[in-house]
Every structure is written in C-alpha cells, then in structure tokens.
Amino acid sequence: MGAPPRPKETSFEYGRKQQEIMLGYYRLSKVPSEDNTEYLRVVLAHELVNKHALPRLGNRPAHEITVVDVGCSVGLLAIEFAKRGFRSYGVDFDPAALEIAAGLNREEGTDVTFVLMDASDWNLELTIDIAICF
C-alpha cells in the first residue's frame, strides 16, 4: 500500500476565504449596470446560449435541456440557468465553493445539482446539452 495519490497541480482548493470573495461577486452580478463586469458576464452567458446553443437544440423546452457549469465556483451561472428552467448542474473541485453554492441554491429557490469533482476526471453519466465554463 503506497502513499495516497497526489492531487493534480491544477486541482487545489481555493478555500473558504477566496470563495467568500466569489460570493461577493455573485451578489454584485445581480446589480444591472453597463460597467458592472459581473453583471455583464451573466448577460453574455445568456446571449451566447440564446444565439448559439438553443437554435441547435431544436428549440426544445428548457426543462428538457441540461446545462453544466464547469468550474462553477459558488454556482452563479448554474443558478442563473436553473432560474430559466433548465436542468442545471455545477461542477467544482473546491468543497468550500460548493458549500456556498448549496446555500445560494436554497436562497434562490432553484434546483441545481452540485457535484464535487475535478472536471478533468469526469465520471458523471449525464447527457450534456450545454456546457458553460467562464
């Protein structure tokens, strides 16, 4: 029996302090403004999905479309797309991020499934219609 496997160099946890900063960005994204980059990221994500992804999916209803936010941090885009009625997943390798995301999920009244996992070790048996990675 050898030593436990070393995590990938890219799979370190940012930790609670950094994820609380991300929570601040989450809150900021709710403030509409032409100079608010967090708000504009959300607007851009919606525009890209509307213009490029949805037409390719045959205009199926949102509840039949699975969206995965890869590297979701505290779940901003996963929650945004769940609000639109999509089946929404968020994947991240930082447990502190997903703990905050779960709280925001409850706060927003959404039904996002959050998965603790390094996306490079993908092991979910899931048909993905739209993958978002901002």
Side-chain angles (χ1 to χ4, degrees):
M1 191 173 218
R6 286 184 58 202
K8 297 176 187 173
E9 290 182 22
T10 58
S11 298
F12 61 91
E13 296 174 16
Y14 290 95
R16 184 78 187 182
K17 185 176 180 180
Q18 177 62 32
Q19 297 306 340
E20 287 175 358
I21 292 169
M22 297 307 293
L23 175 58
Y25 291 142
Y26 178 92
R27 302 266 187 239
L28 187 60
S29 75
K30 307 301 177 200
V31 180
S33 169
E34 290 183 21
D35 60 352
N36 178 345
T37 57
E38 295 307 312
Y39 171 76
L40 295 175
R41 275 186 344 126
V42 172
V43 170
L44 177 61
H46 286 293
E47 287 175 356
L48 290 172
V49 165
N50 292 343
K51 183 176 180 180
H52 299 287
L54 293 181
R56 294 176 184 208
L57 295 171
N59 295 313
R60 294 185 347 230
H63 71 275
E64 294 180 5
I65 297 172
T66 299
V67 176
V68 176
D69 182 2
V70 180
C72 69
S73 182
V74 299
L76 171 61
L77 294 176
I79 290 170
E80 279 294 315
F81 284 93
K83 286 179 181 178
R84 288 182 56 184
F86 292 97
R87 287 186 305 241
S88 189
Y89 292 77
V91 175
D92 204 290
F93 54 73
D94 191 333
L98 295 186
E99 180 183 320
I100 292 170
L104 291 170
N105 194 30
R106 286 188 300 274
E107 181 180 309
E108 297 284 357
T110 50
D111 187 25
V112 179
T113 300
F114 289 104
V115 181
L116 180 65
M117 176 178 69
D118 185 316
S120 68
D121 295 324
W122 195 265
N123 63 3
L124 298 178
E125 293 195 22
L126 179 67
T127 300
I128 301 168
D129 297 301
I130 302 170
I132 299 171
C133 184
F134 268 55

